[in-house]
């Protein structure tokens, strides 16, 4: 099965470098413009995080195609850090403790990386279980969702290796147990993953 993991377009929070995990923001004008001339790769089904930025991105990349919102594919809940920048948080002991854990611990009122991993993997497995091996699925989701999936399911996956730019992502092969990234996606096309 071919899986296209596509990160949503740019939002104001992305421009301002804010933690906007579960904050429901639309695409900003720059984000819409960057996606305007790109169409998503062919897919039999399009799945999205329920957050507006993903739904709007999918509507641009897959115009007229039905979207299925999957709550488990949403971004990390950053709890007390939501809406803030590094500069605003850098003197907070709770933020420093979270950084010292390499993001493994839960922010106050938020999710730990393991909680996100369990949620995202369960949602991914449920989505893919309903499709035949030869199908192509597009998942228009978040950077953290993409990194979580590839860290967990890609051979030798490393979380930060799989950072995708806004509007970019990866073409992957899913065999039911291993998710292999084959190419990086962008408005300019595909490039092999090294």
């Amino acid at each position: 099965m071919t899986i296209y993991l596509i990160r949503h377009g740019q939002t104001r929070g992305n421009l301002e470098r804010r933690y906007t995990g579960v904050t429901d923001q639309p695409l900003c004008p720059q984000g819409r413009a960057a996606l305007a001339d790109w169409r998503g790769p062919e897919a039999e089904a399009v799945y999205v995080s329920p957050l507006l930025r993903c739904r709007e991105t999918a509507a641009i990349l897959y115009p007229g195609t039905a979207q299925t919102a999957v709550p488990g594919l949403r971004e990390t809940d950053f709890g007390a850090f939501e809406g803030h920048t590094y500069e605003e948080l850098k003197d907070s002991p709770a933020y420093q403790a979270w950084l010292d854990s390499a993001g493994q611990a839960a922010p106050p009122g938020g999710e730990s990386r393991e909680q996100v991993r369990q949620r995202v993997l369960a949602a991914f497995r449920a989505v893919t279980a309903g499709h035949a091996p030869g199908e192509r699925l597009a998942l228009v989701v978040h950077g953290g969702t993409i990194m979580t999936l590839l860290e967990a399911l890609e051979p030798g996956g490393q979380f930060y290796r799989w950072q995708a730019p806004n509007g970019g992502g990866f073409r992957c092969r899913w065999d039911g147990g291993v998710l292999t990234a084959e190419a990086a996606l962008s408005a300019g096309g595909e490039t092999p993953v090294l």
Side-chain angles (χ1 to χ4, degrees):
M1 180 180 304
T2 300
I3 306 288
Y4 297 103
L5 299 175
I6 302 169
R7 185 179 177 203
H8 62 78
Q10 199 168 48
T11 66
R12 182 174 177 185
N14 295 139
L15 286 174
E16 296 173 354
R17 303 184 62 78
R18 295 185 181 280
Y19 291 99
T20 54
V22 295
T23 303
D24 203 9
Q25 292 188 330
L27 299 177
C28 65
Q30 298 92 321
R32 288 182 175 283
L35 296 173
D37 295 327
W38 187 37
R39 289 297 168 255
E42 279 191 44
E44 280 76 41
V46 177
Y47 292 91
V48 297
S49 158
L51 296 178
L52 183 59
R53 56 196 183 263
C54 295
R55 292 184 286 122
E56 288 182 341
T57 299
I60 293 169
L61 299 181
Y62 295 95
T65 302
Q67 305 172 14
T68 302
V70 181
L73 295 176
R74 70 171 167 71
E75 181 61 283
T76 301
D77 182 345
F78 292 108
F81 305 152
E82 283 280 330
H84 296 285
T85 65
Y86 169 82
E87 286 299 318
E88 293 168 350
L89 295 168
K90 67 182 179 183
D91 296 325
S92 161
Y95 182 65
Q96 283 303 316
W98 181 68
L99 289 180
D100 291 345
S101 79
Q104 296 288 339
E111 294 177 289
S112 70
R113 189 172 299 166
E114 183 56 30
Q115 289 171 314
V116 173
R117 178 184 169 110
Q118 289 178 20
R119 170 176 54 78
V120 168
L121 288 176
F124 178 78
R125 288 191 171 107
V127 162
T128 57
H131 292 277
E135 288 189 79
R136 296 165 296 185
L137 310 181
L139 278 64
V140 182
V141 294
H142 307 273
T145 305
I146 292 170
M147 291 188 292
T148 297
L149 283 168
L150 288 171
E151 177 190 40
L153 300 173
E154 220 280 335
Q158 298 171 6
F159 188 76
Y160 292 106
R161 175 180 180 205
W162 303 110
Q163 293 182 57
N166 290 107
F170 300 95
R171 175 175 49 85
C172 304
R173 175 75 44 209
W174 172 243
D175 69 5
V178 175
L179 185 65
T180 304
E182 298 176 328
L185 304 173
S186 70
E190 294 187 13
T191 56
V193 173
L194 301 177

